[in-house]
Amino acid sequence: MNQKKLYIDTVGCQMNVNDSERIVTMLQPLGYTQTQRRHEASLILFNTCTVRAGAEECLLQNIANLKNLKRKKPGTLIGVAGCVAQQMGTELLQKYPWVDLVFGTHNLHLVPEMVKDAEQGRRRAETDFLDSSERLDLFPPIEGRKRVSTFVTVMQGCDNFCSYCIVPYVRGREISRRFDEILHEVQGLADQGLREVVLLGQNVNSYGLKGEEQPPFAELVRAVAVVAGIDRVRFVTSHPKDMSDDLIACFTDLPKLCGGLHLPAQAGGNRILKAMNRGYSREHYLETIAKLRQARPGIKITGDMIVGFPGETEAEFEETLSLMEEVRYFDLFSFVYSPRPGTKAAELSDDLAKEVKLARLDRLQKLQAVHSRIHNEAYVGSTQQVLVEGLAKRHGQVSGRCDSGRIVNLAGSPTLIGKLVDVKILEGYANSLLGELL
Ligand code: SF4
């Protein structure tokens, strides 16, 4: 079989990262192996994100730039996957005649036949949404995962319709994957030697909430935590409104459940939270954080924050800063609000000047930098258990994560990869820690 090279450019959330791994697996029988060098690719795929306008514009520019490459190397196939593909569909084929295949978020299973068609010169766009029963049979395995830690998809889609967010429109309705299949996959990963699983979903903790076919998420976490060979369990991303007491209790009951949680608030004031349709108040959010800290003292909370939502006043922005002061996030992903056509918030009048929004983002990020540094410096002198995941960028060092998820680099040989080791923390930097093996 010919060795064909596949180059995938993945942007956006972990769901996309996971989907890209599936695509790599699905194209192996067709003779494709993954390459990190675009110039040697016989198939270039963009796995895309449409959550913010900037990422979409950048993608379209990248696709436009491939016109010349296609002229010079007409045999190179070009494909678009993910949320932009879902949204634009055939428009991408029309606008960019050098694109060969476009497949949406429910059409991953069609990739092998679409690539075969493209190899025969047949261009296709597939963006139909499937119903839940069909989708449940379409979680193809990811093979060849030689890593120490990996994602396991447990649910897909989103029914929350936050007013600013395009995801429910491009990812479709929520479905929870079959409980037994998830456990089977996790056991298989443990048998391959993986030590950590990260349960993945757009709203991972709404697993099992729609219908009675699957148990609640807390039960799934408990079942995964007893799989022999798995030493660590994490999950991402959780919605604050679905953070049940049972799930919070898992942080007390399950030592294998790591002490870091991504719980995006998105804003600090109740009027904005309501306008965002987030389904919780500031008070409820803070109460949840307090319960989590009681369940697992020292738990590290990370989050997302949107600055400059339409109509956000200075006082409301200050509420976001004060929420940050109360929560003291470990890390925070923060963005200026980006209107997405088709969402409710895009219809709101937005007269806040761009400079004001950028200045607010700057203030927020400076505050977060202080908080992150305080967290990191507090590690200095402590002993952390680190799961070594691979080589660090610096020669002679390996890299892993401590319980909270913070990256720890330490001098050591590659034989440490895959091991849980005790590490004394020597330095705390902005985004990582430096330690030494004990
Ligand atoms: S919960 Fe809200 S922000 Fe998250 S994916 Fe769903 S709609 Fe988007």
mmCIF file of all heavy atoms in Angstrom, residues 51 157-168 174 202-203 237 239 241 264 266 276-278 304 306, ligand 1:
data_model
loop_
_atom_site.group_PDB
_atom_site.id
_atom_site.type_symbol
_atom_site.label_atom_id
_atom_site.label_comp_id
_atom_site.label_asym_id
_atom_site.label_seq_id
_atom_site.Cartn_x
_atom_site.Cartn_y
_atom_site.Cartn_z
ATOM 1 N N VAL A 51 -16.106 29.322 17.339
ATOM 2 C CA VAL A 51 -16.552 29.972 18.572
ATOM 3 C C VAL A 51 -16.249 31.472 18.557
ATOM 4 O O VAL A 51 -17.011 32.276 19.069
ATOM 5 C CB VAL A 51 -15.929 29.270 19.801
ATOM 6 C CG1 VAL A 51 -16.076 30.093 21.060
ATOM 7 C CG2 VAL A 51 -16.596 27.920 20.002
ATOM 8 N N GLY A 157 -22.264 17.285 22.083
ATOM 9 C CA GLY A 157 -23.350 18.223 21.831
ATOM 10 C C GLY A 157 -23.639 19.113 23.024
ATOM 11 O O GLY A 157 -23.037 18.973 24.095
ATOM 12 N N CYS A 158 -24.562 20.042 22.811
ATOM 13 C CA CYS A 158 -24.920 20.955 23.892
ATOM 14 C C CYS A 158 -26.356 21.422 23.709
ATOM 15 O O CYS A 158 -26.748 21.815 22.614
ATOM 16 C CB CYS A 158 -23.981 22.159 23.900
ATOM 17 S SG CYS A 158 -24.425 23.304 25.212
ATOM 18 N N ASP A 159 -27.121 21.367 24.808
ATOM 19 C CA ASP A 159 -28.518 21.829 24.786
ATOM 20 C C ASP A 159 -28.686 23.129 25.560
ATOM 21 O O ASP A 159 -29.809 23.534 25.841
ATOM 22 C CB ASP A 159 -29.433 20.765 25.431
ATOM 23 C CG ASP A 159 -29.493 19.489 24.619
ATOM 24 O OD1 ASP A 159 -29.002 19.487 23.474
ATOM 25 O OD2 ASP A 159 -30.033 18.493 25.130
ATOM 26 N N ASN A 160 -27.611 23.760 25.943
ATOM 27 C CA ASN A 160 -27.737 24.892 26.871
ATOM 28 C C ASN A 160 -28.025 26.231 26.201
ATOM 29 O O ASN A 160 -28.587 27.118 26.821
ATOM 30 C CB ASN A 160 -26.468 25.013 27.723
ATOM 31 C CG ASN A 160 -26.400 23.907 28.746
ATOM 32 O OD1 ASN A 160 -27.422 23.532 29.318
ATOM 33 N ND2 ASN A 160 -25.224 23.354 28.958
ATOM 34 N N PHE A 161 -27.616 26.384 24.994
ATOM 35 C CA PHE A 161 -27.882 27.623 24.249
ATOM 36 C C PHE A 161 -27.529 28.876 25.048
ATOM 37 O O PHE A 161 -28.354 29.768 25.228
ATOM 38 C CB PHE A 161 -29.345 27.672 23.770
ATOM 39 C CG PHE A 161 -29.625 26.676 22.681
ATOM 40 C CD1 PHE A 161 -30.087 25.407 22.982
ATOM 41 C CD2 PHE A 161 -29.392 27.001 21.349
ATOM 42 C CE1 PHE A 161 -30.320 24.470 21.980
ATOM 43 C CE2 PHE A 161 -29.622 26.072 20.336
ATOM 44 C CZ PHE A 161 -30.094 24.807 20.657
ATOM 45 N N CYS A 162 -26.316 28.932 25.548
ATOM 46 C CA CYS A 162 -25.830 30.200 26.096
ATOM 47 C C CYS A 162 -25.952 31.219 24.960
ATOM 48 O O CYS A 162 -25.669 30.890 23.806
ATOM 49 C CB CYS A 162 -24.383 30.068 26.544
ATOM 50 S SG CYS A 162 -24.191 28.850 27.850
ATOM 51 N N SER A 163 -26.361 32.427 25.307
ATOM 52 C CA SER A 163 -26.815 33.335 24.246
ATOM 53 C C SER A 163 -25.704 33.742 23.278
ATOM 54 O O SER A 163 -25.975 34.150 22.163
ATOM 55 C CB SER A 163 -27.440 34.583 24.868
ATOM 56 O OG SER A 163 -26.466 35.294 25.589
ATOM 57 N N TYR A 164 -24.449 33.621 23.704
ATOM 58 C CA TYR A 164 -23.327 34.069 22.866
ATOM 59 C C TYR A 164 -22.718 32.933 22.047
ATOM 60 O O TYR A 164 -21.826 33.150 21.243
ATOM 61 C CB TYR A 164 -22.208 34.648 23.764
ATOM 62 C CG TYR A 164 -21.802 33.688 24.852
ATOM 63 C CD1 TYR A 164 -20.877 32.686 24.612
ATOM 64 C CD2 TYR A 164 -22.394 33.749 26.111
ATOM 65 C CE1 TYR A 164 -20.544 31.770 25.590
ATOM 66 C CE2 TYR A 164 -22.066 32.835 27.097
ATOM 67 C CZ TYR A 164 -21.145 31.852 26.829
ATOM 68 O OH TYR A 164 -20.831 30.940 27.797
ATOM 69 N N CYS A 165 -23.182 31.701 22.268
ATOM 70 C CA CYS A 165 -22.389 30.549 21.835
ATOM 71 C C CYS A 165 -22.987 29.849 20.617
ATOM 72 O O CYS A 165 -24.181 29.567 20.556
ATOM 73 C CB CYS A 165 -22.259 29.566 22.990
ATOM 74 S SG CYS A 165 -21.203 28.171 22.592
ATOM 75 N N ILE A 166 -22.133 29.507 19.689
ATOM 76 C CA ILE A 166 -22.548 28.877 18.433
ATOM 77 C C ILE A 166 -22.558 27.345 18.546
ATOM 78 O O ILE A 166 -23.128 26.649 17.704
ATOM 79 C CB ILE A 166 -21.587 29.346 17.294
ATOM 80 C CG1 ILE A 166 -22.151 29.051 15.904
ATOM 81 C CG2 ILE A 166 -20.202 28.757 17.441
ATOM 82 C CD1 ILE A 166 -23.257 29.950 15.480
ATOM 83 N N VAL A 167 -21.952 26.832 19.617
ATOM 84 C CA VAL A 167 -21.749 25.376 19.719
ATOM 85 C C VAL A 167 -23.039 24.556 19.568
ATOM 86 O O VAL A 167 -23.060 23.572 18.823
ATOM 87 C CB VAL A 167 -20.999 25.024 21.029
ATOM 88 C CG1 VAL A 167 -21.038 23.527 21.320
ATOM 89 C CG2 VAL A 167 -19.553 25.485 20.924
ATOM 90 N N PRO A 168 -24.151 24.918 20.248
ATOM 91 C CA PRO A 168 -25.357 24.090 20.089
ATOM 92 C C PRO A 168 -25.829 23.997 18.639
ATOM 93 O O PRO A 168 -26.463 23.018 18.257
ATOM 94 C CB PRO A 168 -26.396 24.812 20.953
ATOM 95 C CG PRO A 168 -25.585 25.564 21.953
ATOM 96 C CD PRO A 168 -24.354 26.002 21.215
ATOM 97 N N GLU A 174 -27.375 17.167 22.760
ATOM 98 C CA GLU A 174 -26.550 16.345 23.653
ATOM 99 C C GLU A 174 -26.894 14.867 23.513
ATOM 100 O O GLU A 174 -28.071 14.513 23.489
ATOM 101 C CB GLU A 174 -26.818 16.732 25.116
ATOM 102 C CG GLU A 174 -26.192 18.022 25.531
ATOM 103 C CD GLU A 174 -26.484 18.380 26.985
ATOM 104 O OE1 GLU A 174 -27.063 17.553 27.720
ATOM 105 O OE2 GLU A 174 -26.138 19.502 27.366
ATOM 106 N N GLN A 202 -18.675 18.329 25.875
ATOM 107 C CA GLN A 202 -18.941 19.771 25.863
ATOM 108 C C GLN A 202 -19.457 20.228 27.230
ATOM 109 O O GLN A 202 -19.097 21.277 27.726
ATOM 110 C CB GLN A 202 -19.994 20.097 24.805
ATOM 111 C CG GLN A 202 -19.512 21.020 23.733
ATOM 112 C CD GLN A 202 -19.155 20.244 22.486
ATOM 113 O OE1 GLN A 202 -19.764 19.225 22.199
ATOM 114 N NE2 GLN A 202 -18.174 20.703 21.770
ATOM 115 N N ASN A 203 -20.350 19.415 27.800
ATOM 116 C CA ASN A 203 -20.848 19.618 29.172
ATOM 117 C C ASN A 203 -20.782 18.262 29.836
ATOM 118 O O ASN A 203 -21.780 17.570 29.957
ATOM 119 C CB ASN A 203 -22.296 20.087 29.176
ATOM 120 C CG ASN A 203 -22.430 21.435 28.543
ATOM 121 O OD1 ASN A 203 -22.088 22.433 29.148
ATOM 122 N ND2 ASN A 203 -22.914 21.453 27.327
ATOM 123 N N THR A 237 -15.448 19.454 29.944
ATOM 124 C CA THR A 237 -15.643 20.679 30.690
ATOM 125 C C THR A 237 -16.945 20.588 31.471
ATOM 126 O O THR A 237 -17.933 20.091 30.935
ATOM 127 C CB THR A 237 -15.737 21.873 29.720
ATOM 128 O OG1 THR A 237 -14.463 22.104 29.143
ATOM 129 C CG2 THR A 237 -16.166 23.141 30.394
ATOM 130 N N HIS A 239 -20.250 22.160 33.506
ATOM 131 C CA HIS A 239 -21.110 23.347 33.569
ATOM 132 C C HIS A 239 -21.490 23.587 35.030
ATOM 133 O O HIS A 239 -21.933 22.655 35.711
ATOM 134 C CB HIS A 239 -22.365 23.125 32.725
ATOM 135 C CG HIS A 239 -23.089 24.397 32.425
ATOM 136 N ND1 HIS A 239 -23.636 25.184 33.414
ATOM 137 C CD2 HIS A 239 -23.336 25.039 31.261
ATOM 138 C CE1 HIS A 239 -24.198 26.256 32.862
ATOM 139 N NE2 HIS A 239 -24.020 26.189 31.553
ATOM 140 N N LYS A 241 -24.036 24.787 36.439
ATOM 141 C CA LYS A 241 -25.415 24.481 36.858
ATOM 142 C C LYS A 241 -25.631 22.974 37.036
ATOM 143 O O LYS A 241 -26.592 22.563 37.672
ATOM 144 C CB LYS A 241 -26.428 25.064 35.867
ATOM 145 C CG LYS A 241 -26.572 24.304 34.578
ATOM 146 C CD LYS A 241 -27.697 24.872 33.726
ATOM 147 C CE LYS A 241 -27.692 24.301 32.322
ATOM 148 N NZ LYS A 241 -27.542 22.863 32.191
ATOM 149 N N PRO A 264 -16.153 26.982 34.178
ATOM 150 C CA PRO A 264 -16.212 28.344 33.630
ATOM 151 C C PRO A 264 -17.398 29.138 34.170
ATOM 152 O O PRO A 264 -18.533 28.678 34.096
ATOM 153 C CB PRO A 264 -16.388 28.117 32.122
ATOM 154 C CG PRO A 264 -16.082 26.676 31.884
ATOM 155 C CD PRO A 264 -16.403 25.962 33.153
ATOM 156 N N GLN A 266 -17.781 32.541 33.182
ATOM 157 C CA GLN A 266 -18.013 33.414 32.013
ATOM 158 C C GLN A 266 -18.249 34.876 32.380
ATOM 159 O O GLN A 266 -17.948 35.767 31.598
ATOM 160 C CB GLN A 266 -19.163 32.922 31.118
ATOM 161 C CG GLN A 266 -19.034 31.480 30.653
ATOM 162 C CD GLN A 266 -17.897 31.222 29.687
ATOM 163 O OE1 GLN A 266 -17.097 32.104 29.419
ATOM 164 N NE2 GLN A 266 -17.792 30.004 29.194
ATOM 165 N N MET A 276 -26.588 36.070 29.390
ATOM 166 C CA MET A 276 -25.834 34.994 28.723
ATOM 167 C C MET A 276 -26.599 33.668 28.735
ATOM 168 O O MET A 276 -26.154 32.701 28.127
ATOM 169 C CB MET A 276 -24.487 34.774 29.433
ATOM 170 C CG MET A 276 -23.453 35.850 29.199
ATOM 171 S SD MET A 276 -21.963 35.450 30.165
ATOM 172 C CE MET A 276 -20.757 36.507 29.360
ATOM 173 N N ASN A 277 -27.696 33.616 29.500
ATOM 174 C CA ASN A 277 -28.483 32.376 29.647
ATOM 175 C C ASN A 277 -27.640 31.249 30.235
ATOM 176 O O ASN A 277 -27.693 30.104 29.780
ATOM 177 C CB ASN A 277 -29.065 31.938 28.289
ATOM 178 C CG ASN A 277 -30.120 30.854 28.454
ATOM 179 O OD1 ASN A 277 -30.831 30.831 29.463
ATOM 180 N ND2 ASN A 277 -30.215 29.958 27.491
ATOM 181 N N ARG A 278 -26.880 31.585 31.267
ATOM 182 C CA ARG A 278 -25.988 30.577 31.836
ATOM 183 C C ARG A 278 -26.690 29.642 32.826
ATOM 184 O O ARG A 278 -26.178 28.585 33.157
ATOM 185 C CB ARG A 278 -24.802 31.268 32.528
ATOM 186 C CG ARG A 278 -23.816 31.872 31.561
ATOM 187 C CD ARG A 278 -23.070 30.819 30.766
ATOM 188 N NE ARG A 278 -22.122 30.079 31.582
ATOM 189 C CZ ARG A 278 -21.471 28.998 31.163
ATOM 190 N NH1 ARG A 278 -21.681 28.519 29.954
ATOM 191 N NH2 ARG A 278 -20.622 28.366 31.947
ATOM 192 N N ASP A 304 -13.238 30.095 32.433
ATOM 193 C CA ASP A 304 -13.272 30.935 31.228
ATOM 194 C C ASP A 304 -14.017 32.212 31.594
ATOM 195 O O ASP A 304 -14.959 32.170 32.390
ATOM 196 C CB ASP A 304 -14.075 30.285 30.089
ATOM 197 C CG ASP A 304 -13.548 28.922 29.676
ATOM 198 O OD1 ASP A 304 -12.354 28.666 29.876
ATOM 199 O OD2 ASP A 304 -14.345 28.137 29.140
ATOM 200 N N ILE A 306 -15.637 35.911 29.735
ATOM 201 C CA ILE A 306 -15.875 36.751 28.556
ATOM 202 C C ILE A 306 -15.955 38.202 29.020
ATOM 203 O O ILE A 306 -16.681 38.512 29.968
ATOM 204 C CB ILE A 306 -17.187 36.345 27.851
ATOM 205 C CG1 ILE A 306 -17.051 34.932 27.283
ATOM 206 C CG2 ILE A 306 -17.539 37.341 26.745
ATOM 207 C CD1 ILE A 306 -18.339 34.367 26.711
HETATM 208 S S1 SF4 B 1 -22.690 25.325 27.737
HETATM 209 FE FE1 SF4 B 1 -22.929 27.308 26.772
HETATM 210 S S2 SF4 B 1 -20.803 27.934 26.329
HETATM 211 FE FE2 SF4 B 1 -20.745 25.733 26.703
HETATM 212 S S3 SF4 B 1 -20.951 24.801 24.671
HETATM 213 FE FE3 SF4 B 1 -23.017 24.932 25.534
HETATM 214 S S4 SF4 B 1 -23.841 26.849 24.783
HETATM 215 FE FE4 SF4 B 1 -21.618 26.927 24.474
#
